[in-house]
Amino acid sequence: MPENTNSTERVALTPWWRTAVVYQVYPRSFADADGDGIGDLRGIASRLDYLQDLGVDVLWLSPVYPSPQDDNGYDISDYQDIDPTFGTLAEFDALLEGVHERGMKLVMDLVVNHTSDEHAWFAESRSSKDSPKRDWYWWRPPREGRTPGEPGAEPTNWKSFFSGPTWEYDEETEEYYLHLFSRKQPDLNWENPEVRHAVYAMMRWWLDRGVDGFRMDVINMISKTLPLTDGTVQDGERYGEGFNLFAGGPRIHEFLAEMHAEVFAGRSAELLTVGEMPGVTVEEARLFTDPERAEVDMVFQFEHVALDQGAGKWDVRGLDLRDLKASLGRWQEGLAEIGWNSLYWNNHDQPRIVSRFGDDGEHRVRSAKMLGTVLHMHRGTPYVYQGEEIGMTNAPFAGIEDFEDLESVNHYHHAVDAGEDPGSVLAALRTMSRDNARTPMQWDDSAHAGFTAGTPWLAVNPNHREINAARAVADPDSVHAHYRRLIDLRHTVPVVAHGDFEMLLPDDPHVYAFLRRHESEELLVVANFTGDEVGAEVKDADQWSGEELLLGNLEQGARRPDGPGIVLAPWEARVYRRVV
Ligand code: NOJ
């Protein structure tokens, strides 16, 4: 039963997803039932009991639609079917039924900033300048005075997310089409109402089939600033930065409100919408997630996963914990009264969090639990990415031939061609490549980790002998056991879901600390982001250390350092509870 808790009365009823935890499945790498080395729907169905046992409420499936798989399914050639690699529509329906039978929900990935170049819409659009669908995509003539197809003739100077220009020349019709991602991912023109209504119809079709919502891929890029103009070129760069010109354009709120009205309004089912929005600010996120504006329920923002990078994602720096606290603290504050946060460390585009902000060696288990604790004790809806709940790590990629991800492979070749040292480029890939997230799920210690009976499309991490779900499920001290507890706390302890948030110790470089409060309940969360013992210098530490320890992450038998106050063991996290 939803409760009536919101004091501002902006939201009469607490939405169901405020107490929910979402689990992301990357189908390609989750479980392979047919032995072709690629995960599939029957594989996912065979693991539903595992997910139910973990306690998650919602599954988000990365794309399973027909696709040439240039970007592992984020290049869709038919929005209303299932790729044969993953299965059939009947198998999808069976999976959905299995999810619902277990009291969970299923959210689809919605990739509508672009289609595949093999989508029928694009084939039609590309066929001639007079095609009725010509205007469904962004076609532009070559730059005046330049030779068509030659570098510099692109209509704007933007750099694509996957290296190279954002424009591809089409010899047939002698125009360029826009692709913010790969050349096989042409951008749809949302200015054209026919495009929007075709997308809405497709979304309704999936909802009518029973799906419970959508995660919307780069949805803030569907509105571009017109006319399309050049971005600024930084010293030493070949391309201009177009981000502010193609993301968060002037019609973005209008489009999302229209989508909401056309697709979601009036449906009685409990649905979930989450918009992936690179570059979104907290002020904008407040507008996007204000329930009164009826756009989306929550957004994925990227600030906290860019803090360990300099000029772009391949410029890898260490994390300064103070930056993480400042960033996440600002988001907590900014969406405290209006709107709602999503909470995540990992997804299919991010390296593994225990390797990134924790210690994937000696303290892997403890630091993975610490990171989970910090995230799940924030206010918002937590997302768990497959394998995070068993503390999976980055992979030991030896050379460029071990990578599959087109972003990584393209970057390598462009950077090396531009004169960068191959060893340094590889080092950055090992740390940041999306393939770190995409190695197969480690189910057990058998060959290929129980993921497939065939040859996996991407090599299994050799550490699956030690790090695997079978072992974690059987071990009461495992990362998995800890995540189960975290998920359970969100369901059962109201302050975890509903409490307000106050960041403590903003200037402490080692300890992450915050308070949560709800009615008479108060939580103190303290976490050590280092491999040394450190004191948590919070106010009333002596009193807090005598309160109930709701959750800790030390192994059974491990020694908790002695006070006075609160002294944390390496990578230790504690959650104290008191009633005031
Ligand atoms: C964001 C997705 O998460 C990523 O995997 C994909 O490559 C791009 N959008 C393009 O769809």
Side-chain angles (χ1 to χ4, degrees):
M1 269 272 291
E3 323 144 41
N4 196 343
T5 53
N6 195 297
S7 55
T8 66
E9 290 185 355
R10 293 181 65 89
V11 195
L13 299 175
T14 302
W16 64 273
W17 35 257
R18 290 198 174 201
T19 54
V21 177
V22 184
Y23 186 96
Q24 183 190 354
V25 172
Y26 193 66
R28 212 180 163 75
S29 304
F30 193 62
D32 173 23
D34 66 5
D36 66 355
I38 300 175
D40 47 41
L41 296 178
R42 283 198 293 120
I44 301 169
S46 74
R47 298 292 180 175
L48 289 181
D49 289 340
Y50 168 85
L51 297 170
Q52 184 184 26
D53 175 63
L54 183 61
V56 294
D57 306 276
V58 182
L59 305 187
W60 149 27
L61 281 196
S62 278
V64 288
Y65 314 93
S67 161
Q69 304 290 329
D70 187 51
D71 187 17
N72 291 358
Y74 283 89
D75 48 318
I76 298 170
S77 51
D78 180 352
Y79 286 120
Q80 291 177 220
D81 205 345
I82 299 294
D83 194 292
T85 314
F86 295 126
T88 62
L89 265 175
E91 285 169 0
F92 177 83
D93 290 339
L95 173 66
L96 186 58
E97 200 179 317
V99 169
H100 286 162
E101 271 168 14
R102 288 167 179 80
M104 299 185 287
K105 294 178 188 286
L106 191 143
V107 161
M108 299 290 275
D109 222 303
L110 180 82
V111 188
V112 290
N113 173 69
H114 42 270
T115 65
S116 162
D117 66 338
E118 296 181 36
H119 194 292
W121 294 348
F122 187 73
E124 168 63 49
S125 180
R126 150 181 252 173
S127 64
S128 101
K129 281 185 179 161
D130 304 324
S131 156
K133 288 203 167 50
R134 185 65 168 180
D135 183 50
W136 280 42
Y137 294 83
W138 297 93
W139 291 97
R140 290 287 184 277
R143 199 180 284 258
E144 239 172 86
R146 299 295 183 108
T147 314
E150 292 294 311
E154 295 86 7
T156 69
N157 64 1
W158 305 341
K159 180 180 178 182
S160 135
F161 285 105
F162 293 157
S163 303
T166 55
W167 296 95
E168 181 73 6
Y169 187 59
D170 181 60
E171 304 268 351
E172 285 291 306
T173 55
E174 299 178 335
E175 285 190 326
Y176 285 86
Y177 66 85
L178 176 69
H179 60 89
L180 298 182
F181 295 89
S182 94
R183 62 167 66 101
K184 289 186 66 62
Q185 293 168 297
D187 279 50
L188 280 166
N189 175 14
W190 275 68
E191 298 292 324
N192 184 327
E194 286 174 16
V195 169
R196 303 204 298 275
H197 289 282
V199 169
Y200 304 151
M202 173 273 282
M203 293 171 75
R204 289 192 294 262
W205 186 84
W206 283 105
L207 292 180
D208 292 345
R209 211 169 183 99
V211 310
D212 302 293
F214 299 96
R215 172 271 187 189
M216 303 173 181
D217 191 70
V218 293
I219 202 70
N220 58 338
M221 298 183 194
I222 59 176
S223 169
K224 283 122 173 121
T225 299
L226 297 178
L228 308 181
T229 53
D230 282 344
T232 314
V233 186
Q234 301 292 339
D235 278 354
E237 290 288 324
R238 173 153 170 211
Y239 298 100
E241 182 48 73
F243 191 84
N244 293 329
L245 303 165
F246 60 65
R251 299 185 71 187
I252 185 61
H253 291 287
E254 176 198 334
F255 290 164
L256 289 178
E258 179 184 84
M259 176 194 281
H260 191 279
E262 292 283 333
V263 178
F264 301 104
R267 289 197 181 247
S268 57
E270 295 188 328
L271 304 175
L272 175 72
T273 56
V274 48
E276 190 207 25
M277 298 196 180
V280 69
T281 62
V282 70
E283 293 75 21
E284 276 291 309
R286 214 157 112 108
L287 298 177
F288 285 122
T289 64
D290 178 350
E292 289 210 331
R293 295 172 58 94
E295 296 181 19
V296 290
D297 295 328
M298 57 192 99
V299 304
F300 288 133
Q301 58 94 5
F302 287 79
E303 260 181 48
H304 68 299
V305 289
L307 297 172
D308 54 353
Q309 298 158 8
K313 82 180 267 183
W314 307 112
D315 180 13
V316 185
R317 312 270 169 96
L319 173 74
D320 184 327
L321 185 65
R322 290 167 292 202
D323 295 340
L324 185 64
K325 288 187 281 190
S327 173
L328 290 179
R330 208 157 36 73
W331 279 84
Q332 289 286 303
E333 205 178 307
L335 301 186
E337 299 298 329
I338 297 172
W340 190 248
N341 271 293
S342 64
L343 308 170
Y344 75 95
W345 289 137
N346 276 120
N347 59 40
H348 63 291
D349 295 329
Q350 300 293 331
R352 293 280 178 183
I353 197 64
V354 69
S355 301
R356 189 175 190 179
F357 294 169
D359 169 3
D360 62 8
E362 183 191 354
H363 292 296
R364 181 186 66 84
V365 169
R366 198 190 282 178
S367 66
K369 291 181 191 174
M370 182 281 284
L371 288 160
T373 306
V374 168
L375 191 80
H376 282 244
M377 290 299 113
H378 276 69
R379 178 180 163 89
T381 299
Y383 287 70
V384 179
Y385 176 68
Q386 65 184 43
E388 178 182 340
E389 77 282 12
I390 58 169
M392 277 176 62
T393 68
N394 281 355
F397 298 109
I400 188 61
E401 61 289 348
D402 290 348
F403 291 89
E404 289 286 341
D405 168 34
L406 88 166
E407 180 193 43
S408 306
V409 173
N410 287 358
H411 168 67
Y412 179 85
H413 293 300
H414 275 83
V416 171
D417 288 351
E420 284 187 45
D421 166 47
S424 314
V425 179
L426 259 185
L429 286 187
R430 285 196 192 98
T431 315
M432 282 298 164
S433 170
R434 312 195 294 183
D435 277 340
N436 284 301
R438 300 174 180 187
T439 60
M441 178 69 187
Q442 295 167 203
W443 292 107
D444 58 37
D445 64 4
S446 66
H448 306 317
F451 163 70
T452 179
T455 305
W457 70 275
L458 182 66
V460 166
N461 194 319
N463 68 16
H464 73 274
R465 302 264 173 219
E466 187 210 337
I467 304 169
N468 61 68
R471 190 164 166 170
V473 167
D475 174 3
D477 246 357
S478 67
V479 180
H480 183 270
H482 194 81
Y483 267 72
R484 274 178 68 171
R485 181 95 175 103
L486 287 170
I487 294 164
D488 184 56
L489 289 177
R490 178 156 300 265
H491 293 151
T492 57
V493 177
V495 63
V496 172
H498 304 295
D500 61 18
F501 181 100
E502 184 188 344
M503 187 68 84
L504 305 176
L505 309 180
D507 301 324
D508 188 312
H510 309 305
V511 177
Y512 201 116
F514 53 94
L515 289 173
R516 304 287 313 278
R517 274 189 224 95
H518 180 66
E519 296 173 352
S520 59
E521 248 185 333
E522 207 169 26
L523 299 181
L524 170 71
V525 181
V526 280
N528 180 359
F529 268 69
T530 79
D532 302 313
E533 258 186 37
V534 295
E537 311 294 337
V538 295
K539 189 162 158 256
D540 301 336
D542 287 333
Q543 280 169 27
W544 273 110
S545 61
E547 299 289 346
E548 174 201 358
L549 187 63
L550 180 64
L551 184 70
N553 69 337
L554 296 192
E555 309 70 37
Q556 281 169 27
R559 192 189 65 83
R560 184 156 272 130
D562 290 332
I566 300 174
V567 182
L568 299 170
W571 304 103
E572 183 178 3
R574 297 184 202 171
V575 182
Y576 288 108
R577 168 161 65 176
R578 75 178 175 200
V579 177
V580 286

